[in-house]
């Protein structure tokens, strides 16, 4: 993509309405535009990152054996009356009637609808285990939408639903989701800590939230200093190996890590004092096991090996895809702008032409651009008739992890400059070596 042909409405000044870093930088970098309180249009740069995040979520869900589908945003109130949640959910649910006077709602979550799909098509234990998920827009009518995409009314969410014959099977599904989530967040360059949490209106006894540590987080968190050091890394995971999956979950949940809702001061004080940490966190996902809460109410049963019928054991598992974008910025920025981790960057690198219109620099930039595209990468070429300072400021603001700068002086010496956005360090390389380095950085991302 050439910047002269791209739609990137960056702002020079900080928007007055933006209270936190991610909201401010998303507006300044031309990623979103507010259409109403808590409702945003996703402009090309923001939409590109949103899709990068979604793709990682899909890949890790499928790796864990989960099956994608797509459910509608609008739901019938009748389904929610079956589960008993229609009147209990509260004013956050947007309710309305269609032209035939049928009561409808804009879905805040999909437990009822997925249970309806399951009961219509699955009747035997032989068809279990089963996990179905989708990535879809949701709506919760927040009293005070704020912080941009971090606390909006409309949001993009992956929600998955597991169906199993026994509680033991369902708890394995719970563990499988925990491990797949840990891998998902690590691929995005985030440390997301699973913390024992409250189940809220979804219900259930077992639930963990995944929180990214950030000063602007809405939740107060208490944790052992060793927790953020835990990493899955490159280890292979066999999601069918129950013992191995459970061992990873135990590794990541044995050390103390809780939100303020479940915090136990007495247990916390048993941690050595130098390791007791109190901070704030941004919730980016949550997993629930709630047994037969919905299957009993809605008649979702299967036959067992002995011929009897039992309600299926269920769980639901969510990742806030649009919220993750805000959390990534909160965790990766400086005073110049965003610093995208390589796994989610909208473009793999930026190319800055210091002397647009000069035949040699134009030719060199075109060569770099074509070489990177030929390797399957997406560069953003700043080919505008702008001064160098403005080009650097734009690249720093939008946060591409790598920048290749091309100017007459460097070309006279046969080199271009490769700069890391995160460290600020630069090195001079031949154009061919710069391309090879970028290709190497993204290999396996």
């Amino acid at each position: 993509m050439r910047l002269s042909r791209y739609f990137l409405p960056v702002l020079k000044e900080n928007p007055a309405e933006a209270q936190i870093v991610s909201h401010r930088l998303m507006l300044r970098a031309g990623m979103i535009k507010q259409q109403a309180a808590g409702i945003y249009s996703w402009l090309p740069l923001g939409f590109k990152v949103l899709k990068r995040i979604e793709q990682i979520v899909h890949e890790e869900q499928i790796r864990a054996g989960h099956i994608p589908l797509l459910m509608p945003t609008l739901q019938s109130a009748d389904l929610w009356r079956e589960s008993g949640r229609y009147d209990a959910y509260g004013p956050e649910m947007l309710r309305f009637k269609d032209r035939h006077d049928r009561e409808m709602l804009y879905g805040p979550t999909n437990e009822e609808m997925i249970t309806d799909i399951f009961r219509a098509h699955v009747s035997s234990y032989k068809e279990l285990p089963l996990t179905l998920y989708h990535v879809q827009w949701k709506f919760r009518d927040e009293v005070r939408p704020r912080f941009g995409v971090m606390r909006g009314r409309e949001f993009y969410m992956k929600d998955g639903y597991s169906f199993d014959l026994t509680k033991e099977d369902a708890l394995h599904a719970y563990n499988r989701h925990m491990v797949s989530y840990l891998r998902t967040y690590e691929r995005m360059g985030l440390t997301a800590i699973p913390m024992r949490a409250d189940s809220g209106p979804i219900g259930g006894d077992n639930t963990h939230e995944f929180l990214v540590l950030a000063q602007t987080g809405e939740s107060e968190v208490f944790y052992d200093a060793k927790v953020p050091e835990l990493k899955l890394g490159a280890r292979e995971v066999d999601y069918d190996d129950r013992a191995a999956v459970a061992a990873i979950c135990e590794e990541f949940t044995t050390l103390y890590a809780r939100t303020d809702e479940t915090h136990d001061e007495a247990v916390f004080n048993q941690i050595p004092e130098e390791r007791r940490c109190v901070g704030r966190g941004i919730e980016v996902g949550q997993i629930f096991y709630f047994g037969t809460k919905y299957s009993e109410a809605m008649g979702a049963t299967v036959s067992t090996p002995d011929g009897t019928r039992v309600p299926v054991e269920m769980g639901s598992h969510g990742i806030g895809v649009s919220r993750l974008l805000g959390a990534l910025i909160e965790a990766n920025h400086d005073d110049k702008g965003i610093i995208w981790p390589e796994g989610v960057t909208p473009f793999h690198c930026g190319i800055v032409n210091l002397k647009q219109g000069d035949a040699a620099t134009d030719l060199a930039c075109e060569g770099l651009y074509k070489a990177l595209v030929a390797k399957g990468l997406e560069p953003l070429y700043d080919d505008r008739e702008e001064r160098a300072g403005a080009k650097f400021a734009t690249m720093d603001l939008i946060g591409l992890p790598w920048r290749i700068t091309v100017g007459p002086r460097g070309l006279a010496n046969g080199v271009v400059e490769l700069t890391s956005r995160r460290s600020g360090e630069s090195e001079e390389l031949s154009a061919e070596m710069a391309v090879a380095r970028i290709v190497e950085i993204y290999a396996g991302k």
Side-chain angles (χ1 to χ4, degrees), residues 28 59 70 139 155 161 175 189 232 259 333 347 382 390 415:
R28 282 199 59 210
E59 289 171 3
L70 184 63
F139 190 90
F155 54 97
Y161 304 91
N175 291 344
L232 266 179
T259 64
H333 69 272
F347 295 95
D382 191 344
V415 296

Side-chain angles (χ1 to χ4, degrees), residues 29 82 128 147 157 183 332 335 358 404 430:
E82 279 192 65
L128 302 179
F147 304 152
M157 179 178 169
R183 188 186 291 281
N332 296 277
D335 57 357
D358 177 79
I404 301 174
S430 67

Side-chain angles (χ1 to χ4, degrees), residues 51 69 135 142 157 173 312 315 366 378 400 417 434 440:
K51 287 305 190 181
L69 48 64
V135 182
E142 297 278 355
M157 179 178 169
V312 289
E366 290 289 343
E378 290 186 273
L400 307 186
E417 185 179 68
E440 180 184 10

Side-chain angles (χ1 to χ4, degrees), residues 74-95:
L74 303 183
Q75 302 182 32
S76 167
D78 292 342
L79 284 176
W80 284 66
R81 287 199 171 95
E82 279 192 65
S83 71
R85 283 207 300 174
Y86 185 70
D87 295 319
Y89 201 89
E92 288 76 28
M93 182 188 288
L94 181 62
R95 307 157 201 255

Side-chain angles (χ1 to χ4, degrees), residues 188-224:
M188 295 177 191
L190 283 174
T191 298
I193 302 171
M195 298 190 178
R196 180 69 65 179
D198 180 69
S199 61
I202 289 179
D205 298 324
N206 292 65
T207 180
H208 280 83
E209 288 179 348
F210 292 80
L211 289 104
V212 174
L213 298 176
Q215 293 180 348
T216 51
E218 290 188 280
S219 301
E220 188 173 24
V221 295
F222 304 81
Y223 60 97
D224 189 316

